[in-house]
């Protein structure tokens, strides 16, 4: 009997949060859904974080993923952007942790490498490869949702391998792996 699991991939962002879901049956993956949460119209950063949390909880409660793969924020030139991305990722992770869904982080480079074989691939190259791998009829206008889907597919490809990214199974696991960040 083939084991079955659902993986939710998330590309966190405070303008657009992309997400994708795949179902894994045995050693095969199949596409379930990809979409995005549009946050451009909101000016309040805290409201955006609340909406990211609520949408992630809604996705978990609807699709019951067994695991979550999330893209880690990368350091660009703007420290404020990095901080906002980190907060978006944090609330998405908190939503998963609140439902006790194991979470694994992957760097953007690792995700691109897993999907295309090139850690410097463009969003368009990643999307086209996903279209081919999962037989997607068409690609969305914004590629944030394919980035979320790419995180899920990257996680599928990395199953059973030693994880370089961090993995959390709950609040206690997160605290244990981040003791230097916890005030006592």
């Amino acid at each position: 009997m083939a084991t079955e699991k659902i993986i939710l991939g998330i590309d966190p962002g405070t303008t657009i949060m992309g997400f994708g879901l795949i179902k894994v049956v045995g050693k095969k993956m199949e596409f379930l859904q990809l979409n995005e949460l549009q946050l451009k119209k909101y000016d309040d950063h805290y409201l955006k974080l609340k909406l990211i949390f609520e949408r992630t909880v809604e996705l978990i409660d609807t699709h019951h993923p067994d695991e979550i793969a999330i893209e880690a924020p990368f350091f660009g030139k703007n420290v404020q952007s990095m901080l906002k991305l980190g907060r978006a990722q944090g609330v998405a992770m908190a939503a998963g942790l609140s439902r006790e869904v194991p979470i694994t982080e992957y760097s953007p480079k690792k995700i691109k490498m897993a999907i295309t074989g090139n850690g410097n691939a463009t969003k368009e190259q990643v999307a086209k490869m996903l279209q081919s791998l999962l037989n997607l009829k068409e690609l969305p206008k914004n590629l944030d949702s394919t980035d979320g889907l790419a995180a899920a597919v990257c996680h599928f490809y990395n199953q059973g391998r030693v994880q370089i990214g961090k993995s959390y199974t709950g609040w206690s696991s997160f605290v244990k792996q981040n003791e230097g960040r916890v005030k006592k």
Side-chain angles (χ1 to χ4, degrees):
M1 186 170 164
T3 57
E4 200 175 289
K5 79 167 129 183
I6 294 175
I7 302 170
L8 168 61
I10 299 174
D11 176 28
T14 55
T15 304
I16 300 173
M17 177 183 92
F19 60 89
L21 288 140
I22 58 171
K23 179 161 63 170
V24 178
V25 181
K27 294 182 187 247
K28 294 187 177 183
M29 67 175 155
E30 69 182 65
F31 170 75
L32 291 179
Q33 178 186 359
L34 81 157
N35 210 332
E36 58 197 30
L37 172 62
Q38 286 284 343
L39 299 161
K40 288 179 192 148
K41 62 185 170 201
Y42 303 103
D43 291 329
D44 184 343
H45 182 67
Y46 300 104
L47 174 60
K48 290 179 179 189
L49 295 176
K50 177 181 182 273
L51 294 169
I52 291 167
F53 183 88
E54 289 173 348
R55 182 64 175 128
T56 305
V57 166
E58 181 186 330
L59 286 165
I60 293 166
D61 291 348
T62 302
H63 298 283
H64 308 288
D66 299 284
E67 297 170 1
I68 295 174
I70 191 162
E71 185 173 313
F74 62 94
F75 182 73
K77 291 181 175 121
N78 187 329
V79 176
Q80 285 301 312
S81 295
M82 174 73 172
L83 179 61
K84 287 179 181 178
L85 271 177
R87 287 176 175 169
Q89 183 203 33
V91 295
M93 291 172 76
L97 293 169
S98 75
R99 294 296 196 256
E100 298 184 358
V101 181
I103 300 165
T104 304
E105 283 181 272
Y106 294 97
S107 71
K109 223 175 197 29
K110 183 161 177 103
I111 293 171
K112 291 173 182 181
M113 180 62 92
I115 305 304
T116 68
N118 175 3
N120 296 314
T122 65
K123 280 181 173 278
E124 292 77 15
Q125 289 169 321
V126 170
K128 283 287 189 192
M129 184 58 83
L130 287 171
Q131 186 175 29
S132 173
L133 286 169
L134 297 168
N135 298 317
L136 304 176
K137 289 180 176 52
E138 59 184 84
L139 291 172
K141 184 177 69 154
N142 296 319
L143 298 180
D144 299 88
S145 54
T146 53
D147 285 352
L149 183 62
V153 173
C154 173
H155 188 64
F156 167 75
Y157 286 146
N158 282 281
Q159 290 174 349
R161 295 186 185 158
V162 176
Q163 296 294 329
I164 294 171
K166 292 185 178 181
S167 193
Y168 310 111
T169 55
W171 283 115
S172 59
S173 168
F174 177 83
V175 169
K176 194 173 189 178
Q177 290 185 41
N178 292 279
E179 288 176 348
R181 296 170 59 187
V182 178
K183 286 187 177 180
K184 298 195 181 197

